[in-house]
Amino acid sequence: MTMWIGRPGHLRAFKEAATTFDRSPESGTTEFRSLAGGVTTWTPQIRPRRLKLAWQNMLPDDLAHLDRLARRVDGPGPVAVIDPASANWLLPSQALGVIGTHGASAWSGSMVSTGGTQNPNAPVNPYGPMSVVLNAPAAASDLVYNAPGATGYPVAPGMTVSWWAPSLAAIAAELRLLWYRADGTALTSASSTVQVDRPIQRAVPAEAAYVRPVVRLRAGLTTRTPIGPAVLRLAAPGDSELRIASRQALGVTAQQGKTPLNQYSPGTGTTLTDVGGVAHITVPGADGSVEWVGGGTTPGFPVLPGRLITFTNSHAAVKWCGFTFFDAAGSFAGMALETNTATVPAGAASVVPHLQYGTIAAPTPIGTSSLMVWDPAPALPAGEGGAFYSVTDYGQSVRPGQLHSRDASLELVEVTHAVG
């Protein structure tokens, strides 16, 4: 089990296992007992992790590196510790997709805004979910997961990093890893994949000292989607087996915008015509709409409660998308308006997606469409977030008669930062 300790850009891999390895987080809970016997407890909002390490017969090169760090020979400030026992490097709030102590500043990006799902007039719930908000950007938008108090999360060349945000797969174009040098300058190349249904695993390139995980979100979406859980860590053997399943709910003809026309239901002010086997749409006025009804006896397309669905269409005049849900008997079961994505509500058995259009003066093809139904995100490990520590105690002892054999001990406490 390899542990990396050092300053970013100069991390050293300690391959020799520590004989003592205590990584307990600090509870900080204090009890107050009243005269009547009642107990009141108080717990601080931030509870740092402490590391207690000890080695016997430490290798001379490892000891020299540790000694320089503990005595701050190379300068003041915290040191980075990459703990192989950490199942998720992200901040706890990032790992769970909730507001947390860092709030929206835990995320940033171009053409992206974040916010809770609460009533804007209600007090902010720090344990409530965060959402990513997109208003049909013309270009793909990056959602960046910010590391606390640093350029990024510390890494060392040669290790392999795994990154995944499964709840955003429905609206993601790519998963990306941005690499930075120790001085904060970016490497010219990033690592990316369009396979958003599984983790991206990449080796840390030479010169890289930090990594920033990013989800690149697709262009043209109008949506408010819960950010959901995510994981960033050393690649684990099981990561290659992780997947989030999805299926295309539309038939081939509906995907291609072809006839029969009974797959679609035009609203008031909208006309659909068959031109050579392709559905064409006309909206003479300022507004029109079309529902995708499936053409069967059951309204819409089968779905399961709790699943995330995404509907997209290529027509340039689309203003916004919405969904109408029905139960197994065909009765109304809910709606989601002005969004490309929605979570299927309890009791729903089918969905009818619909689009609102602006003026379309002449008949034009209705365009290609997609209705993806995604499985729920799998359970992911809790975020630990603390990569930077201050040395609070350091010990070095010599065994009698063995001047070149040293035992060492090190105690560290997590350094907490505000993000943003």
Side-chain angles (χ1 to χ4, degrees):
M1 185 170 67
T2 302
M3 174 175 285
W4 287 262
I5 305 176
R7 298 187 182 279
H10 302 281
L11 291 174
R12 183 178 182 85
F14 286 73
K15 297 181 180 179
E16 187 178 15
T19 54
T20 298
F21 183 13
D22 186 335
R23 59 191 306 276
S24 304
E26 187 175 274
S27 170
T29 300
T30 304
E31 292 187 13
F32 303 92
R33 186 177 296 275
S34 70
L35 293 176
V39 175
T40 300
T41 62
W42 174 84
T43 303
Q45 190 174 29
I46 298 175
R47 295 172 292 280
R49 184 177 297 279
R50 293 185 181 274
L51 297 180
K52 297 180 181 179
L53 306 164
W55 293 267
Q56 291 181 350
N57 299 318
M58 197 172 201
L59 296 173
D61 288 349
D62 288 346
L63 182 64
H65 179 78
L66 201 67
D67 189 73
R68 292 177 67 89
L69 291 174
R71 294 167 54 215
R72 300 192 173 191
V73 173
D74 299 319
V79 298
V81 179
I82 300 180
D83 178 0
S86 177
N88 196 343
W89 297 344
L90 296 176
L91 292 166
S93 57
Q94 290 175 332
L96 194 57
V98 299
I99 294 171
T101 55
H102 295 296
S105 63
W107 297 270
S108 63
S110 58
M111 299 294 292
V112 173
S113 61
T114 51
T117 57
Q118 300 87 4
N119 180 332
N121 297 319
V124 173
N125 174 12
Y127 305 103
M130 286 292 296
S131 295
V132 59
V133 182
L134 290 171
N135 294 311
S141 307
D142 287 348
L143 179 68
V144 182
Y145 286 63
N146 296 321
T151 302
Y153 287 93
V155 291
M159 64 174 57
T160 301
V161 172
S162 181
W163 158 238
W164 197 29
S167 294
L168 295 176
I171 60 173
E174 293 180 13
L175 294 175
R176 298 173 64 80
L177 292 167
L178 307 182
W179 309 105
Y180 294 83
R181 299 179 181 87
D183 62 4
T185 58
L187 272 66
T188 55
S189 60
S191 299
S192 64
T193 179
V194 295
Q195 294 180 316
V196 296
D197 63 336
R198 67 201 71 179
I200 176 177
Q201 297 184 58
R202 295 292 186 271
V204 178
E207 296 188 71
Y210 298 101
V211 63
R212 282 184 187 171
V214 174
V215 180
R216 175 157 288 182
L217 304 168
R218 288 190 280 129
L221 296 180
T222 301
T223 181
R224 184 186 185 95
T225 303
I227 287 175
V231 59
L232 175 70
R233 64 182 177 190
L234 288 170
D239 289 351
S240 59
E241 305 301 322
L242 291 175
R243 295 286 191 281
I244 179 171
S246 62
R247 65 177 178 84
Q248 175 63 250
L250 299 183
V252 174
T253 54
Q255 291 180 57
Q256 297 175 349
K258 295 183 177 180
T259 54
L261 292 179
N262 67 349
Q263 299 175 105
Y264 321 98
S265 177
T268 302
T270 305
T271 302
L272 291 180
T273 54
D274 181 348
V275 180
V278 176
H280 280 56
I281 181 173
T282 308
V283 182
D287 290 288
S289 64
V290 173
E291 294 181 334
W292 272 249
V293 295
T297 56
T298 302
F301 304 89
V303 290
L304 292 172
R307 302 295 173 90
L308 188 68
I309 57 175
T310 309
F311 185 76
T312 54
N313 177 269
S314 63
H315 200 289
V318 172
K319 287 185 175 180
W320 51 266
C321 173
F323 302 93
T324 306
F325 298 97
F326 298 89
D327 62 18
S331 300
F332 175 80
M335 293 187 76
L337 299 178
E338 298 190 39
T339 180
N340 297 84
T341 66
T343 301
V344 179
S350 63
V351 64
V352 170
H354 55 270
L355 296 178
Q356 196 75 17
Y357 297 88
T359 302
I360 307 173
T364 59
I366 199 169
T368 57
S369 302
S370 171
L371 176 61
M372 297 299 297
V373 182
W374 295 80
D375 280 350
L380 295 178
E384 297 185 6
F388 289 93
Y389 290 79
S390 278
V391 176
T392 58
D393 194 22
Y394 167 61
Q396 186 184 132
S397 59
V398 180
R399 297 188 180 190
Q402 301 180 42
L403 294 179
H404 300 293
S405 177
R406 307 290 177 95
D407 297 340
S409 62
L410 190 69
E411 293 188 14
L412 310 101
V413 64
E414 179 186 349
V415 177
T416 57
H417 296 270
V419 173

